[in-house]
Amino acid sequence: MQNLNIKDIAKIAGVAPSTVSRVLNNRPDVNEDTREKILKIMDEYNYIPNNSARNLKIIESNTIGVLVKGIYNPFFSKIIQSIEEKIREKGYSMTLNYNYDDSNDIETAIELIKEKRLKGLVCLGGNFDDLDIEQIQSLSTPIVVASSNIIEKKNRKALSSVTIDNEKAAFEAVDYLCSLGHEKIGIITTGESDRSIGRLRTSGYKKALEKHCIEFDPKLLEIGEYTFDSGYDAMNKLLDKNLGLTALFATSDIMAIGAAKAVLSKGLSVPDDISIIGFDDIEYTSYFHPSLTTIKQPQEDIGHESVRILFEILQEKKKHRHIILETELVARDSCKAIK
Amino acid sequence: MQNLNIKDIAKIAGVAPSTVSRVLNNRPDVNEDTREKILKIMDEYNYIPNNSARNLKIIESNTIGVLVKGIYNPFFSKIIQSIEEKIREKGYSMTLNYNYDDSNDIETAIELIKEKRLKGLVCLGGNFDDLDIEQIQSLSTPIVVASSNIIEKKNRKALSSVTIDNEKAAFEAVDYLCSLGHEKIGIITTGESDRSIGRLRTSGYKKALEKHCIEFDPKLLEIGEYTFDSGYDAMNKLLDKNLGLTALFATSDIMAIGAAKAVLSKGLSVPDDISIIGFDDIEYTSYFHPSLTTIKQPQEDIGHESVRILFEILQEKKKHRHIILETELVARDSCKAIK
DNA sequence: CTGAAAGCGCTTACAG
DNA sequence: CTGAAAGCGCTTACAG
């Protein structure tokens, strides 16, 4: 009863292992009676094939991998759904893997490709700037990176990417706040560890201020991380400085919600006292009260486009591409014109 | 350059594959010079070992698997963290896998155990009532199920579980509402697909009403699923019935937030017009405004206890156990006494 | 400290 | 439609 393998099943059924393998893989060239008999035995003995053995032997699979950076990120969840949708539509199957924060993304990616003989891989987030181009190319398995920038020029021909223009989107957010008459605009952004995204969004903030002839005041900037309470704490710090803040740009919705809660908890109003704009458009923003104004990243498109590019490379032998999707300012109830 | 394997590396280094394997596995019995040379070659050629081959050959690993039901559930995220913490503390490593909603949980669990030669597995959610005890036992890899009930008596000796008393916890939530003077108490609960949890929580609701001599009115019950908008929609339906509702029990925080948003969107107040109590105590609830009163599931304890039991079985050869953890009503700002 | 050999559980041409 | 044989890329006793 213990850990039967394909040989055991074959013996019990009185056939060769190869025949068992054929029914396992739904091959058409098996006699129906034989198939039924083997199926029945498998069921009766609770036979479960060993995937490692299968992966080892297989030349290529029909599966596309998805490698997600960070164990818990509501922003990625809708992207994953749209990726899965598209992969199924193409008749492939998907395998979802998570990647710890401290792991080397490109190495994990290659490991996964080799282990599961993937046809292609889409990575959500992660750092793909430090890589060996030849290694990637010799793999001949296309990788597309969604929602992370590939900065290194030379790497851009070895990978594809689907991103947004972070600086421009942040610019729009802050420009919107300025156009509403705000001048004392705080920012909660992510710090050092965030290699590019936080920096780009902060830069967009500064450029928008510049456009409106508002001088950047470092006291209005607080560093947070991707959590509610870092947004909450940062907002309290900002408020305690008594700088006459009337608006806030948070570089992620999660932090924006924490910040909004800090404002509301002090008995102040959003947006009457402080206007807040977030970034991402995760589902929670529309259920928060007041509903948060934010920069919508086209989560569904990011997923769909990533898969589309992957299949272009796979099936039409196209080259790696880098596309930038449009964001959109979604005006809800957390921002208000002043004066 | 393409897909080097251990033999290639061995050839390049002028050693036997077994020696390469030894350095790969950090075995002490390798000459330092040899080790360095091989390491350098691996690095230079970007050698990445194939895990399938490794898993196939290995007798047993030092890794504990975690199998999570459903791709995105904020309730599980803190549990996962606490599981990981505990596993690391024990000196084991963890592998995290997600399971689609429509998959057979026990089958996926066994597949995973076999494929990765796991030492143990903890499952978060899922249905483990329909299983072959002998199969599980012959596996001799302990499985502990967290946050799902094992109902079938006979299965309870083949698996461990860590749960809460759903009926009692729901009873307390509604009893609290009653003690605040509420009589017209709506409920948004999960439907058919939810095999046990929704039913138990609904039953707790009914028992609390009974205790307070309030007759159960089916018009006050709406079915939702585990999403914001189903909570939102269900609350609107309830409100539109004009039943004089003064309070609501939602069987998950996600639905409670959706419901609260529906109330607030109508210009009504939580808790002045409608009191709301949720279930789970996910992080969102304290950042919603007003902060939501809810039933706290001890997420950290669920994780820690699951791993503790697993290691008791693994290292002390103890038997499978079923423990029920205490929940706690966390009174925040969404409930109010009336009259 | 190192190598040769067997084998983990499958799949895949090949032959019949 | 079915079987015998080779081999995927590793690890692990065993021998030296």
Side-chain angles (χ1 to χ4, degrees):
Chain A
M1 256 311 282
Q2 310 223 48
N3 275 310
L4 293 192
N5 61 27
I6 203 172
K7 257 166 101 181
D8 300 321
I9 297 293
K11 206 171 294 168
I12 295 167
V15 298
S18 40
T19 304
V20 178
S21 171
R22 285 186 192 99
V23 348
L24 218 43
N25 292 288
N26 271 316
R27 299 236 191 281
D29 55 346
V30 181
N31 179 297
E32 266 317 307
D33 292 349
T34 314
R35 183 192 304 277
E36 301 242 310
K37 185 170 72 182
I38 293 173
L39 245 19
K40 194 161 149 266
I41 289 169
M42 284 181 181
D43 191 54
E44 186 181 337
Y45 288 84
N46 287 307
Y47 169 66
I48 292 182
N50 181 317
N51 279 324
S52 290
R54 168 143 226 280
N55 289 334
L56 184 57
K57 186 58 196 176
I58 242 169
I59 302 292
E60 57 179 14
S61 71
N62 265 317
T63 104
I64 306 291
V66 177
L67 184 60
V68 180
K69 181 73 172 183
I71 169 176
Y72 166 66
N73 186 335
F75 171 63
F76 286 152
S77 74
K78 204 181 287 178
I79 301 184
I80 297 171
Q81 279 171 36
S82 67
I83 289 178
E84 199 204 343
E85 210 174 282
K86 200 80 177 178
I87 289 176
R88 285 212 179 158
E89 192 181 290
K90 293 278 187 184
Y92 281 65
S93 61
M94 164 176 138
T95 167
L96 185 61
N97 286 72
Y98 284 75
N99 204 192
Y100 296 111
D101 287 330
D102 52 3
S103 65
N104 178 324
D105 301 309
I106 187 68
E107 205 163 287
T108 313
I110 297 177
E111 222 170 288
L112 195 63
I113 288 174
K114 288 195 171 186
E115 176 175 344
K116 304 204 173 167
R117 313 268 176 170
L118 300 178
K119 262 284 182 29
L121 178 67
V122 0
C123 300
L124 256 52
N127 172 17
F128 296 90
D129 267 319
D130 190 22
L131 49 79
D132 180 326
I133 303 180
E134 289 177 20
Q135 185 188 23
I136 300 295
Q137 284 169 339
S138 72
L139 221 49
S140 74
T141 300
I143 297 177
V144 3
V145 177
S147 211
S148 256
N149 295 77
I150 311 294
I151 304 166
E152 286 289 341
K153 198 100 181 207
K154 64 175 175 49
N155 294 341
R156 292 171 67 90
K157 61 176 190 227
L159 298 171
S160 287
S161 72
V162 177
T163 52
I164 57 159
D165 186 335
N166 283 288
E167 189 181 73
K168 181 175 152 225
F171 175 90
E172 277 166 13
V174 179
D175 185 47
Y176 173 71
L177 254 18
C178 293
S179 73
L180 256 26
H182 296 280
E183 295 182 349
K184 291 287 185 188
I185 302 172
I187 176 171
I188 302 177
T189 185
T190 46
E192 304 308 295
S193 68
D194 182 348
R195 298 173 26 64
S196 64
I197 291 179
R199 196 173 310 158
L200 289 167
R201 293 183 190 170
T202 304
S203 158
Y205 163 84
K206 288 180 181 170
K207 289 201 172 159
L209 293 184
E210 212 170 284
K211 172 185 165 192
H212 292 270
C213 306
I214 302 169
E215 205 176 331
F216 167 64
D217 177 358
K219 287 202 289 298
L220 287 171
L221 182 150
E222 285 289 339
I223 297 292
E225 39 183 52
Y226 196 77
T227 59
F228 289 122
D229 50 303
S230 88
Y232 184 88
D233 292 345
M235 190 68 199
N236 276 329
K237 278 187 204 157
L238 244 23
L239 255 16
D240 289 347
K241 288 181 191 165
N242 279 315
L243 300 164
L245 202 73
T246 63
L248 175 83
F249 169 47
T251 61
S252 78
D253 285 336
I254 292 279
M255 296 192 296
I257 287 168
K261 181 66 180 178
V263 173
L264 297 167
S265 299
K266 284 202 191 289
L268 298 173
S269 158
V270 174
D272 291 340
D273 296 304
I274 308 273
S275 287
I276 293 182
I277 187 164
F279 203 110
D280 285 347
D281 196 31
I282 60 174
E283 200 184 8
Y284 194 21
T285 53
S286 36
Y287 288 94
F288 191 79
H289 197 77
S291 301
L292 290 185
T293 293
T294 192
I295 297 291
K296 176 187 171 69
Q297 290 205 52
Q299 299 167 45
E300 228 173 85
D301 291 349
I302 292 175
H304 286 165
E305 287 299 294
S306 301
V307 180
R308 201 172 60 76
I309 293 186
L310 195 70
F311 277 90
E312 274 181 13
I313 300 171
L314 228 43
Q315 302 180 326
E316 304 168 32
K317 311 267 179 248
K318 292 208 183 174
K319 287 194 174 165
H320 279 287
R321 308 207 284 136
H322 299 271
I323 65 178
I324 293 173
L325 264 20
E326 290 301 314
T327 55
E328 184 190 341
L329 193 153
V330 182
R332 288 198 272 249
D333 309 326
S334 64
C335 293
K336 192 182 152 181
I338 58 170
K339 259 170 268 165
Chain B
M1 258 308 285
Q2 310 224 50
N3 274 308
L4 294 192
N5 61 27
I6 202 171
K7 257 166 101 182
D8 300 320
I9 297 294
K11 206 171 294 166
I12 295 167
V15 299
S18 39
T19 304
V20 179
S21 171
R22 284 188 192 97
V23 347
L24 219 43
N25 292 288
N26 272 316
R27 298 238 191 278
D29 54 347
V30 181
N31 178 296
E32 266 317 307
D33 292 347
T34 315
R35 184 192 303 277
E36 301 242 311
K37 183 171 73 182
I38 293 172
L39 245 19
K40 193 162 149 265
I41 289 170
M42 283 180 180
D43 192 53
E44 185 181 337
Y45 288 84
N46 287 306
Y47 169 65
I48 292 181
N50 181 317
N51 278 323
S52 290
R54 170 145 224 280
N55 289 334
L56 184 57
K57 185 58 195 175
I58 242 168
I59 301 293
E60 56 180 14
S61 71
N62 264 318
T63 104
I64 306 291
V66 176
L67 184 59
V68 180
K69 182 71 173 184
I71 169 176
Y72 166 66
N73 187 337
F75 171 64
F76 286 153
S77 74
K78 203 181 287 177
I79 302 183
I80 296 171
Q81 279 171 37
S82 67
I83 289 178
E84 199 203 342
E85 209 174 282
K86 200 80 177 178
I87 289 176
R88 285 212 180 159
E89 191 182 292
K90 294 278 187 185
Y92 281 63
S93 62
M94 163 176 139
T95 168
L96 185 61
N97 286 73
Y98 284 74
N99 205 190
Y100 296 111
D101 287 329
D102 52 3
S103 65
N104 178 324
D105 301 310
I106 188 67
E107 204 163 289
T108 313
I110 297 177
E111 221 169 288
L112 195 62
I113 288 173
K114 289 195 172 186
E115 176 175 345
K116 305 204 172 165
R117 312 265 178 175
L118 301 177
K119 261 283 180 32
L121 178 67
V122 1
C123 300
L124 256 53
N127 172 18
F128 296 89
D129 267 319
D130 190 22
L131 50 78
D132 180 326
I133 303 180
E134 290 177 20
Q135 184 188 22
I136 300 294
Q137 284 168 338
S138 71
L139 220 49
S140 73
T141 300
I143 298 177
V144 4
V145 177
S147 210
S148 256
N149 296 76
I150 311 293
I151 304 167
E152 286 288 341
K153 198 99 182 208
K154 64 176 176 46
N155 295 341
R156 293 171 66 90
K157 60 176 191 230
L159 298 171
S160 287
S161 70
V162 177
T163 51
I164 57 159
D165 186 335
N166 283 288
E167 190 182 71
K168 180 174 153 227
F171 175 90
E172 277 165 12
V174 179
D175 185 46
Y176 174 71
L177 254 18
C178 293
S179 73
L180 256 26
H182 295 281
E183 293 183 349
K184 291 286 186 187
I185 302 172
I187 176 172
I188 302 178
T189 186
T190 45
E192 303 308 297
S193 67
D194 181 348
R195 297 173 27 62
S196 64
I197 291 180
R199 196 175 309 159
L200 289 167
R201 293 183 190 169
T202 305
S203 158
Y205 162 83
K206 288 180 182 170
K207 288 202 172 156
L209 293 184
E210 213 171 285
K211 172 186 167 193
H212 291 269
C213 305
I214 302 169
E215 205 177 332
F216 167 64
D217 177 358
K219 286 201 288 299
L220 287 171
L221 183 151
E222 284 289 338
I223 297 293
E225 41 184 51
Y226 195 78
T227 59
F228 289 122
D229 51 303
S230 87
Y232 184 87
D233 291 346
M235 190 68 198
N236 276 329
K237 278 188 204 155
L238 243 24
L239 255 18
D240 289 347
K241 288 181 192 165
N242 280 316
L243 300 164
L245 203 72
T246 65
L248 175 82
F249 169 48
T251 60
S252 78
D253 285 335
I254 291 280
M255 295 192 297
I257 287 170
K261 181 66 180 178
V263 173
L264 297 168
S265 298
K266 284 201 191 292
L268 298 172
S269 159
V270 175
D272 292 340
D273 296 303
I274 308 272
S275 287
I276 293 182
I277 187 166
F279 203 112
D280 286 345
D281 195 32
I282 59 174
E283 202 184 6
Y284 284 10
T285 52
S286 35
Y287 288 94
F288 193 78
H289 195 76
S291 301
L292 289 186
T293 293
T294 191
I295 297 290
K296 177 186 171 68
Q297 291 205 52
Q299 299 167 45
E300 229 173 84
D301 292 348
I302 292 175
H304 286 165
E305 287 300 295
S306 302
V307 179
R308 201 172 60 75
I309 294 186
L310 196 70
F311 277 90
E312 275 181 12
I313 301 171
L314 227 43
Q315 303 180 325
E316 303 168 33
K317 311 267 179 250
K318 291 207 183 175
K319 287 193 175 165
H320 279 287
R321 308 207 285 136
H322 298 269
I323 66 179
I324 292 174
L325 264 18
E326 289 302 314
T327 55
E328 183 190 341
L329 193 150
V330 181
R332 288 198 273 248
D333 309 325
S334 65
C335 293
K336 192 184 152 180
I338 57 170
K339 258 171 268 166

